[in-house]
Amino acid sequence: MSGSNVNRERDEGVAVQESRPELQPPPRFKVLLLNDDFTPMEFVVQVLETFFHLNREKATQIMLHVHTRGVGVCGIYARDVAETKVAQVTDFARRHQHPLMCTMEEA
Ligand code: TYC
């Protein structure tokens, strides 16, 4: 048997698994509240309790952080969840005629 025949017999019929591309973990997004001069503190606390499932103590702490520093993180979520929170908070604030601003950015 020739050398080339030996090689062909060894290669034929062998299923080679392609290496799969490395998958990146999905990006996460911070949902942010911005301070303003008009939205009542109690309303912001209510927003944090209702949409971010924070207890009153933690909600008050974050509200005061935003009030004094200008911006604060309400939570970190997958993109679609963060988008929904921003939409819900904005809709709730506008329905109550408050200018409260809620945005998101990649964590
Ligand atoms: N600065 C507001 C006030 O004094 C309170 C406030 C806090 C508003 C946080 C928005 O995201 C905010 N009534």
Side-chain angles (χ1 to χ4, degrees), residues 36-55:
D36 66 73
D37 292 338
F38 305 103
T39 305
M41 290 185 175
E42 176 54 36
F43 184 83
V44 178
V45 170
Q46 190 192 343
V47 162
L48 289 162
E49 289 176 329
T50 303
F51 297 105
F52 300 95
H53 310 295
L54 298 168
N55 64 33

Side-chain angles (χ1 to χ4, degrees), residues 2-13:
S2 74
S4 65
N5 237 349
V6 169
N7 284 339
R8 205 180 308 128
E9 282 172 19
R10 202 162 17 153
D11 291 347
E12 274 173 1

Side-chain angles (χ1 to χ4, degrees), residues 29-32 48 52 54 62 72-77 82 105:
F29 290 82
K30 294 188 270 192
V31 174
L32 306 171
L48 289 162
F52 300 95
L54 298 168
I62 292 175
V73 179
C74 309
I76 302 180
Y77 306 96
E105 68 176 33

Side-chain angles (χ1 to χ4, degrees), residues 14-73:
V14 177
V16 178
Q17 178 68 56
E18 290 285 330
S19 69
R20 299 211 292 156
E22 299 256 315
L23 296 178
Q24 296 303 119
R28 311 271 296 163
F29 290 82
K30 294 188 270 192
V31 174
L32 306 171
L33 273 187
L34 307 186
N35 188 36
D36 66 73
D37 292 338
F38 305 103
T39 305
M41 290 185 175
E42 176 54 36
F43 184 83
V44 178
V45 170
Q46 190 192 343
V47 162
L48 289 162
E49 289 176 329
T50 303
F51 297 105
F52 300 95
H53 310 295
L54 298 168
N55 64 33
R56 179 147 285 252
E57 185 184 351
K58 186 69 188 160
T60 302
Q61 189 182 315
I62 292 175
M63 182 279 294
L64 287 173
H65 174 94
V66 177
H67 176 69
T68 55
R69 306 284 300 271
V71 61
V73 179

